[in-house]
Amino acid sequence: MSAAPTVVILGAGVSGLCTGIQLLKAGISSFTILEKSDRVGGTWYDNQYPGAACDVPSHFYCYSFEPNPEWSRKFSGQAEIQAYLQRCAEKYGLIPHIRFRTECAGASFDERKGVWRVRTSDGEELTTHVLVSGVGQLNRPHVPDLPGLADFEGAAFHSARWQHAHDLTGKRVAVIGNGASAIQFIPPVAKVAKQLTIFQRSANWVVPRGDYAYSERAKRIFRSFPWLLRLYRWYFYWQLEKNFLAFGGEGRIARMMEKGARGWLESAIPDAKLREVLTPDYRVGCKRILIDDDFYPALARPNVSVTTSEISRITRDAIETKDGASQPVDAIILATGFETTSFLAPMQIEGVDGKKLEEIWGPGAEAHLGLCVSGFPNFFMMYGPNTNLGHNSIIFMIEAQVRYTVQCIQALAQRGLRYLDVKPDVQERYNAELQRDLSHTAWAAGCKSWYKTASGKVTNNWSSFTVKYWWKTRRPKLEEFKRVPRT
Ligand code: NAP
């Protein structure tokens, strides 16, 4: 392959857009982005619940090559982040490359021709040399199998599919779940609802966010001194990066973090009984730490209550719990998270010899550097297995993955290769080391979380500092791949 390979990218979120931009920067314009919705932004378009915002500082939750002096706050909201991504897509000329309302149903690798055949859910087939997944880990809402849910007669929807047409003012609202999404929309909903009941299965560690707005003067300074903006960005990077110390084995920092979180709980919740309900029984970091200023104060409101009894069933107009109580409600919001450990499902990805990704991932997904899977040539995943973080910006990881992928694509062209396929022993060694490292982290400690499978294998999180991931991915080692020349 001496001409630039063709590339199909799945998803126009942070990863897909970044891949497109870097391909264009590398002089490769032979790519198409398939996006199932009608706008760019991915998760930042899907999640439009009230209060949706990012809990990573905006000046580090943006592309390194596209700093934004205009961020309105330390932690900007969903609409602002989506608008930023839209601006990037327009500025870099990506829009003509995007096919909106086009969903990928699956893809199979044709080894003889060295191409992927990508099927859309409309039955169309596209052929491409390289397939890049930018669908991430948090795109398919998890709807729990609660008896009676389908018969509920009020409004019921998932937080990532918010139904704005349902005005919750003066309503009795139930929220199932209390993770990162729930804690952001509970405060605004509590302000308007008649009554809000949170069905909590387990408590979370919550630390204050310390949000603030940037003044016009601050923005002017950022605009005038780009180097200062860059310095500010790296200040956030190192501030976040150090937090891995709390997850990576050594207990002292974790205990300090727990102490801080307990202090915040004490100061925000005067009711000792409620404090007990809200105190986690597992090590900090095992589940995602929640970063918020408004959640605890909202729980202290007289119209808000927390129920810990397990839900037994849902009737036409109420939620019944195992303690025999029945809570009449007008609306149910499922803040129950996402299907995280099945990664690319329900897409059917078939590699060499018809090997199915979902089958080989049966015991738990794994990949080399979270990017490539042996037997699935010329296939790269952004934000794939074991690349999620509990402490820093995922955009940093995504940029590292995109850099690696673009270099692999360039190697295909420059070396006249039909395909690159990571060697099985390379992938095996990498994952053995990764799982060894993960076994010492907070994620492997005793809790259930979306970071791991039902059997306890941590499939979602990276095992170390992000700087280590950056180092490992800065240049692909082509000797780690089976390199098949064009015939
Ligand atoms: P989540 O963290 O997975 O939380 C799901 C919640 O639903 C948990 O409280 C869980 O309880 C509960 N739940 C699930 N199934 C249930 C059932 N059958 N019955 C009762 N409760 C049930 O989901 P999320 O809050 O949507 O957040 C997902 C991820 O999205 C976050 O961890 C984060 O990475 C990302 N996010 C980021 C931001 C940001 O600011 N950057 C904001 C929102 C989301 P258990 O805890 O007991 O399992």
Side-chain angles (χ1 to χ4, degrees), residues 43-44 47 49 52-56 61 138 142-146 158-160 176-184 199-204 209 282 287-291 310-311 334-338 340 383 388-389 448-451:
T43 194
W44 293 109
N47 286 270
Y49 56 77
C54 185
D55 60 11
V56 176
Y61 195 83
L138 300 165
H142 165 65
V143 176
D145 191 13
L146 295 168
H158 190 276
S159 57
I176 302 179
N178 59 331
S181 301
I183 62 150
Q184 291 188 334
F199 291 83
Q200 170 185 297
R201 198 163 60 174
S202 33
N204 288 304
R209 188 163 75 147
Y282 55 86
K287 285 176 193 282
R288 193 178 192 278
I289 296 173
L290 306 183
I291 305 167
E310 199 181 324
I311 296 169
L334 300 164
T336 42
F338 299 86
T340 54
Y383 192 14
N388 181 57
L389 303 174
K448 269 170 77 181
S449 81
W450 68 258
Y451 300 153

Side-chain angles (χ1 to χ4, degrees), residues 459-476:
T459 52
N460 292 62
N461 278 18
W462 168 236
S463 59
S464 183
F465 292 95
T466 63
V467 79
K468 183 173 173 189
Y469 188 79
W470 168 81
W471 180 256
K472 278 183 176 289
T473 52
R474 74 200 186 288
R475 229 169 286 121

Side-chain angles (χ1 to χ4, degrees), residues 156-470:
F157 51 85
H158 190 276
S159 57
R161 300 288 181 271
W162 197 273
Q163 293 182 9
H164 290 277
H166 289 287
D167 184 3
L168 299 172
T169 309
K171 298 279 165 55
R172 296 164 303 177
V173 180
V175 176
I176 302 179
N178 59 331
S181 301
I183 62 150
Q184 291 188 334
F185 69 74
I186 284 170
V189 172
K191 278 190 191 150
V192 299
K194 179 176 172 199
Q195 183 200 319
L196 191 153
T197 312
I198 299 157
F199 291 83
Q200 170 185 297
R201 198 163 60 174
S202 33
N204 288 304
W205 290 104
V206 183
V207 295
R209 188 163 75 147
D211 192 17
Y212 47 79
Y214 291 110
S215 65
E216 283 312 310
R217 184 157 173 265
K219 290 185 209 169
R220 228 179 11 254
I221 293 172
F222 286 146
R223 255 177 250 133
S224 311
F225 303 102
W227 61 269
L228 194 66
L229 194 57
R230 206 150 279 277
L231 202 67
Y232 193 47
R233 180 182 162 82
W234 288 112
Y235 157 75
F236 283 127
Y237 173 74
W238 289 109
Q239 205 189 42
L240 296 171
E241 186 73 339
K242 75 168 185 346
N243 288 339
F244 183 76
L245 292 170
F247 308 145
E250 212 272 304
R252 198 165 48 93
I253 312 265
R255 280 194 297 280
M256 272 166 57
M257 211 179 244
E258 285 180 10
K259 199 169 157 206
R262 278 184 215 278
W264 169 226
L265 179 63
E266 288 264 332
S267 65
I269 305 284
D271 178 345
K273 244 179 148 167
L274 180 56
R275 278 205 305 273
E276 202 184 314
V277 164
L278 298 174
T279 304
D281 58 0
Y282 55 86
R283 176 180 162 183
V284 72
C286 185
K287 285 176 193 282
R288 193 178 192 278
I289 296 173
L290 306 183
I291 305 167
D292 197 80
D293 299 331
D294 307 321
F295 176 57
Y296 283 160
L299 296 187
R301 291 174 67 99
N303 65 332
V304 177
S305 60
V306 180
T307 297
T308 53
S309 182
E310 199 181 324
I311 296 169
S312 51
R313 72 173 188 130
I314 295 173
T315 66
R316 285 187 299 128
D317 57 2
I319 296 185
E320 293 179 359
T321 42
K322 289 207 168 149
D323 59 0
S326 177
Q327 179 79 44
V329 289
D330 304 308
I332 300 175
I333 306 170
L334 300 164
T336 42
F338 299 86
E339 303 292 347
T340 54
T341 52
S342 48
F343 289 87
L344 295 153
M347 284 187 280
Q348 297 269 328
I349 308 291
E350 284 177 28
V352 173
D353 298 331
K355 248 197 291 189
K356 291 189 174 59
L357 198 53
E358 60 172 317
E359 281 174 14
I360 63 158
W361 276 357
E366 57 179 51
H368 179 56
L369 298 166
L371 275 157
C372 325
V373 182
S374 183
F376 295 78
N378 290 359
F379 173 54
F380 301 90
M381 284 170 290
M382 308 298 105
Y383 192 14
N386 294 106
T387 61
N388 181 57
L389 303 174
H391 72 289
N392 209 329
S393 170
I394 196 64
I395 298 185
F396 180 84
M397 300 291 274
I398 289 168
E399 285 197 38
Q401 290 153 8
V402 170
R403 195 179 311 116
Y404 183 97
T405 300
V406 171
Q407 290 180 75
C408 286
I409 294 171
Q410 287 173 316
L412 286 173
Q414 286 158 4
R415 295 168 185 244
L417 297 174
R418 184 151 46 117
Y419 65 76
L420 284 168
D421 187 8
V422 71
K423 293 176 183 167
D425 57 315
V426 169
Q427 182 177 322
E428 219 172 282
R429 265 200 311 280
Y430 172 81
N431 279 282
E433 186 190 325
L434 178 83
Q435 289 298 332
R436 225 177 10 253
D437 291 350
L438 280 166
S439 68
H440 304 299
T441 64
W443 303 304
C447 77
K448 269 170 77 181
S449 81
W450 68 258
Y451 300 153
K452 50 194 177 193
T453 61
S455 66
K457 179 177 175 183
V458 180
T459 52
N460 292 62
N461 278 18
W462 168 236
S463 59
S464 183
F465 292 95
T466 63
V467 79
K468 183 173 173 189
Y469 188 79
W470 168 81

